[in-house]
Amino acid sequence: MITAIECSLTAIYLAHFLAYMFSTSLGEHKARGMNKIFLAITYLSLAVVIFVEDNHINPLDMQFLITDIFLLTALLFTCIGDIVLLFNFNTGAFFFGCGNILLFVHEIMLLEIKGVTFADYWWFLIIYVALLGGYFTLEHFSTHFKISKEDRVKAFLYLFLVSMHGSIGLTAYFVTTYAPAIVMGIGSFMFMMSDYVLCSYKYSFNHEKSVHKLNTFLYFAGILLLTWSLAIF
């Protein structure tokens, strides 16, 4: 059951999402920063409301409760990361890294609860290796972007973390019919792809605005889906 406050917060989020996309196009850094902070606070607030409302209306058993707490905590870390990233990139990336690990644990726990065992989704490892290996190869031969030597280890360590939950997110779409897990999987995959796009943009030679806009769209659309995956459909 979707409540009025959940609908209202989602509408507010979408309105500021459009404003953020617009300010990105204009290159208005101050307006973009303010919108990003508001977006982060809004999706975290929405997550808390969904968590509280759904557990009040339809109490979950302890297993589901624990998995939802992992997801809620992951969103808390990404919210902090979104805000801190505006002031310190490395510290913001650290919070995102923590959020990525929690998302990975959440996905495994949720699939296991729904009876999806490792034997059903082991092939996420193939996707994982293909993504990292393919991107490493692309970066090595690309004439459009090149990760600096001083950032190389940190960049690939972060991609190593975000690809864990993104790869399982993709497999979740195919191995379960449980709606929250599917929504979670799509959101997780979009989250991951946004970071591959961001990395390409950050170390690109021309900083195409369209690439930055794609990163923005994938991330904030993906994070909204992750937030709504807390709901009971």
Side-chain angles (χ1 to χ4, degrees):
M1 179 178 178
I2 300 175
T3 65
I5 189 170
E6 291 169 356
C7 289
S8 298
L9 284 171
T10 302
I12 292 170
Y13 180 90
L14 291 174
H16 277 268
F17 181 25
L18 291 175
Y20 185 69
M21 292 288 291
F22 185 66
S23 61
T24 298
S25 301
L26 295 177
E28 296 290 338
H29 298 294
K30 186 175 181 180
R32 187 163 55 85
M34 292 175 63
N35 272 320
K36 186 177 184 182
I37 292 172
F38 190 86
L39 278 170
I41 294 172
T42 304
Y43 74 66
L44 182 62
S45 300
L46 176 60
V48 172
V49 169
I50 293 174
F51 176 81
V52 172
E53 291 287 335
D54 279 19
N55 279 280
H56 174 71
I57 295 170
N58 186 12
L60 297 173
D61 63 34
M62 187 57 66
Q63 286 181 309
F64 278 105
L65 183 63
I66 293 172
T67 62
D68 279 359
I69 290 173
F70 267 94
L71 177 53
L72 194 62
T73 308
L75 291 172
L76 171 62
F77 274 103
T78 60
C79 175
I80 296 172
D82 272 323
I83 296 171
V84 173
L85 203 67
L86 294 169
F87 309 99
N88 188 298
F89 188 85
N90 289 334
T91 305
F94 169 78
F95 281 104
F96 271 110
C98 294
N100 289 332
I101 294 171
L102 290 169
L103 279 174
F104 177 66
V105 175
H106 163 74
E107 289 173 337
I108 292 176
M109 292 177 68
L110 184 59
L111 290 176
E112 291 288 336
I113 290 172
K114 297 305 296 182
V116 181
T117 65
F118 183 75
D120 299 311
Y121 65 87
W122 66 268
W123 47 277
F124 90 90
L125 294 170
I126 297 175
I127 298 173
Y128 180 74
V129 172
L131 279 168
L132 282 175
Y135 192 76
F136 181 84
T137 303
L138 177 65
E139 186 271 339
H140 182 75
F141 291 104
S142 176
T143 57
H144 298 287
F145 76 102
K146 186 68 62 178
I147 300 175
S148 61
K149 290 182 179 179
E150 59 270 21
D151 290 345
R152 198 169 187 78
V153 173
K154 290 183 291 186
F156 278 101
L157 175 61
Y158 181 79
L159 293 176
F160 173 88
L161 293 175
V162 74
S163 297
M164 292 193 305
H165 72 76
S167 299
I168 289 190
L170 181 59
T171 62
Y173 181 83
F174 298 99
V175 299
T176 182
T177 58
Y178 183 54
I182 293 173
V183 172
M184 173 271 297
I186 297 172
S188 179
F189 182 73
M190 292 177 72
F191 184 145
M192 175 192 70
M193 292 309 299
S194 75
D195 280 318
Y196 276 96
V197 173
L198 175 62
C199 193
S200 302
Y201 173 79
K202 179 176 172 60
Y203 297 103
S204 66
F205 300 136
N206 50 13
H207 289 84
E208 287 284 344
K209 286 186 177 180
S210 58
V211 178
H212 193 196
K213 289 170 68 175
L214 177 61
N215 158 249
T216 299
F217 173 79
L218 287 171
Y219 174 71
F220 282 107
I223 208 78
L224 180 61
L225 291 177
L226 281 170
T227 300
W228 266 107
S229 73
L230 280 163
I232 301 170
F233 297 93

